[in-house]
Amino acid sequence: MNLREQVDLDNLPKHIAVIMDGNGRWAKQRGGLRIFGHKSAITAVRETVEAAAELGVDYLTLYAFSTENWSRPAGEVTALMQLLVSSIRKETSTLNKNNIRLLTIGDTASLPSSCQKELREAMDITKNNTRMTLVLALSYSGRWDITQAVKKMALEVEQGNLTAGEIEESTIAQYLATAGMPDPELLIRTSGEQRISNFLLWQMAYTELYITDLLWPDFRKEHLYKAILAYQSRERRFGKTSEQLIK
Ligand code: IPE
Ligand code: IPE
Ligand code: MG
């Protein structure tokens, strides 16, 4: 049986989050500039989106640019933004054909206006698509998300629409950028780094972590299947004992 056939479609993660890391190292290994790595990563994105949609995953969230990534050399930031614009322009019709909806999370108001425009158009074109939601995390960080949620809640309290006593975990979830999405069951990080890098901090409270040494530009469909198979072999206890879990 090939890897894809081994995946249990009745036990798929509804939401997979990916920290796409290692583009710079991939380029360096080939004697190229970092941006060569970013450009070469497009194939990995395409394959991952396709494979996830084909399997029947509901949400795929890709960490494309973090709040902290703004501190990179200006040339790299500019090149990444240009790559974002050109990729979205190129890929939107394919997303649409495949019935995939595009969303973003993050401080997108801080992106160059050309990016914002391209994203708005792509989101508008794909807004009624139902097969899978592709979420791009752009100028995103978990702490940014929690901070903006607290600010919005504080405003509601000031305006008398919310009381402190009414705030529950589910209330907080509604104010996060991921409102309405299930928490990711599986996080994939490439390039071997064993950290969260300020990604979905609240949402990943019980996410299964899958870290591979593979560099992101080398990631293909079979690697997604491998990650899902690893996820499916885990026992998710949520604080209970093994014996308490009814199979
Ligand atoms: C991930 O690859 C892409 C972004 C963070 C935008 P990196 O650019 O971080 O590549 P490495 O980690 O330096 O190899
Ligand atoms: C995380 O990768 C952010 C993205 C993949 C967009 P980084 O390369 O920025 O993470 P650190 O700095 O190694 O933690
Ligand atoms: Mg990196």
Side-chain angles (χ1 to χ4, degrees):
M1 253 199 309
N2 64 34
L3 285 173
R4 185 182 168 170
E5 286 164 0
Q6 290 173 46
V7 172
D8 176 3
L9 297 179
D10 295 326
N11 182 25
L12 272 184
K14 288 187 177 59
H15 184 173
I16 299 176
V18 186
I19 301 180
M20 311 184 288
D21 198 16
N23 299 353
R25 278 162 281 175
W26 188 92
K28 199 173 174 191
Q29 283 174 2
R30 286 158 182 78
L33 297 173
R34 296 179 56 82
I35 191 65
F36 169 55
H38 298 314
K39 285 185 179 155
S40 305
I42 306 288
T43 309
V45 173
R46 208 180 283 134
E47 289 239 344
T48 307
V49 171
E50 243 182 62
E54 284 164 0
L55 285 173
V57 171
D58 292 333
Y59 290 86
L60 175 69
T61 299
L62 303 179
Y63 204 7
F65 194 83
S66 74
T67 306
E68 287 75 22
N69 289 150
W70 287 114
S71 310
R72 291 194 177 192
E76 182 173 348
V77 172
T78 307
L80 275 168
M81 294 299 151
Q82 282 165 355
L83 189 61
L84 181 65
V85 172
S86 62
S87 309
I88 291 172
R89 195 170 291 160
K90 254 189 247 155
E91 303 294 333
T92 301
S93 64
T94 310
L95 289 180
N96 207 27
K97 234 182 281 155
N98 290 326
N99 196 13
I100 296 169
R101 173 172 70 140
L102 181 73
L103 286 182
T104 62
I105 53 171
D107 183 18
T108 46
S110 65
L111 298 173
S113 55
S114 57
C115 283
Q116 293 186 43
K117 181 170 168 277
E118 211 60 45
L119 286 166
R120 260 199 312 273
E121 285 173 12
M123 287 194 287
D124 191 53
I125 290 169
T126 61
K127 68 172 185 277
N128 295 319
N129 293 345
T130 53
R131 188 180 183 200
M132 185 178 84
T133 301
L134 170 63
V135 184
L136 291 184
L138 291 165
S139 191
Y140 181 87
S141 68
R143 287 186 174 179
W144 167 84
D145 199 358
I146 293 168
T147 306
Q148 67 80 29
V150 171
K151 277 189 187 159
K152 270 197 267 170
M153 281 191 291
L155 201 64
E156 297 276 20
V157 173
E158 273 176 16
Q159 292 171 347
N161 303 322
L162 184 69
T163 66
E166 284 168 350
I167 299 175
E168 297 182 357
E169 288 191 6
S170 59
T171 322
I172 296 173
Q174 283 163 26
Y175 284 89
L176 292 169
T178 48
M181 303 177 198
D183 288 339
E185 294 96 332
L186 171 64
L187 170 81
I188 299 171
R189 182 170 190 150
T190 55
S191 89
E193 305 298 352
Q194 314 220 5
R195 53 178 172 262
I196 301 296
S197 298
N198 209 353
F199 198 18
L200 301 157
L201 297 179
W202 170 278
Q203 297 87 340
M204 294 208 302
Y206 259 107
T207 300
E208 294 296 328
L209 309 181
Y210 178 86
I211 294 165
T212 165
D213 285 335
L214 212 70
L215 302 176
W216 176 249
D218 290 327
F219 200 86
R220 294 293 178 268
K221 287 184 181 187
E222 75 213 64
H223 303 114
L224 183 74
Y225 304 145
K226 248 191 213 167
I228 295 174
L229 286 168
Y231 162 82
Q232 292 182 334
S233 73
R234 308 252 181 108
E235 182 179 67
R236 305 188 75 205
R237 289 190 289 278
F238 300 99
K240 296 182 180 174
T241 68
S242 218
E243 292 70 28
Q244 284 175 297
L245 299 173
I246 307 152
K247 289 278 171 186

